[in-house]
Amino acid sequence: MQGKLTLQAFWIDRETGAICFNGGRLGVGDGEGAVVGATGQRRDMGNGYVWLDVEGLTFGGAAAVLALAFFEGRFCEASWAVMLFGEADGWPTGEAMVREVTFVRGVLREQVGLAAGRGAARFEWGEVWSGIDLRGGSASHGLRYGVRKRGWLGRLWETARG
């Protein structure tokens, strides 16, 4: 990947679940090449999954890092973290994690209609979540495409593959 997306906003399309940028979108089944211009670490997990970390973004107006998952070369999942203004560097406190989750859930409420007081929602295209990972000790936000009842990505994966 070449170039750099400098503090470019990303958001989630309510109808399709696509990750949208000012200059384009990345949806279920898109190839890794659709993220031309992104910089960051590329991690090949050796099991069919490749993760691409994209830096220099914002989510809901807060600085963010976005991790994009590709399975067998096709986009299937994303997770992100936001850095709220005024938070200290280093491992977040419990209070900082609560602030981050509260912020992200508010943005998800606006973008995809996440119900107030809920940490996750399912849609025809997949699911979104925002919560605290107690085992990992951090905030966790993301989206995943498809329903895991039929194969690993359900009918959306089949549709995307044509």
Side-chain angles (χ1 to χ4, degrees):
M1 306 290 159
Q2 300 172 10
K4 185 170 185 170
L5 301 172
T6 305
L7 292 180
Q8 182 175 358
F10 81 90
W11 64 94
I12 302 166
D13 181 281
R14 182 184 300 241
E15 300 301 318
T16 65
I19 300 286
C20 301
F21 301 92
N22 294 337
R25 59 192 298 119
L26 181 67
V28 62
D30 286 346
E32 193 176 339
V35 195
V36 172
T39 60
Q41 182 179 3
R42 183 180 185 276
R43 298 173 282 141
D44 186 337
M45 308 310 286
N47 61 359
Y49 280 93
V50 170
W51 284 85
L52 177 62
D53 299 330
V54 183
E55 302 168 342
L57 301 174
T58 65
F59 183 74
V65 175
L66 176 64
L68 305 169
F70 297 84
F71 181 74
E72 296 180 353
R74 300 290 177 200
F75 180 53
C76 62
E77 185 173 342
S79 64
W80 61 92
V82 299
M83 286 63 77
L84 298 176
F85 181 76
E87 295 293 344
D89 289 337
W91 205 256
T93 64
E95 294 81 14
M97 287 186 280
V98 169
R99 284 190 294 275
E100 180 177 340
V101 167
T102 300
F103 173 82
V104 170
R105 286 182 181 178
V107 175
L108 290 174
R109 220 175 354 271
E110 293 173 12
Q111 291 183 5
V112 298
L114 182 69
R118 300 294 308 247
R122 288 192 172 199
F123 303 91
E124 285 203 23
W125 49 262
E127 61 187 343
V128 296
W129 69 88
S130 176
I132 296 175
D133 177 354
L134 296 175
R135 292 179 78 190
S138 64
S140 173
H141 324 287
L143 68 78
R144 184 178 298 120
Y145 295 108
V147 180
R148 293 185 181 254
K149 291 182 180 175
R150 268 193 45 221
W152 75 274
L153 257 185
R155 64 183 159 70
L156 284 178
W157 177 249
E158 297 302 320
T159 301
R161 293 177 82 183

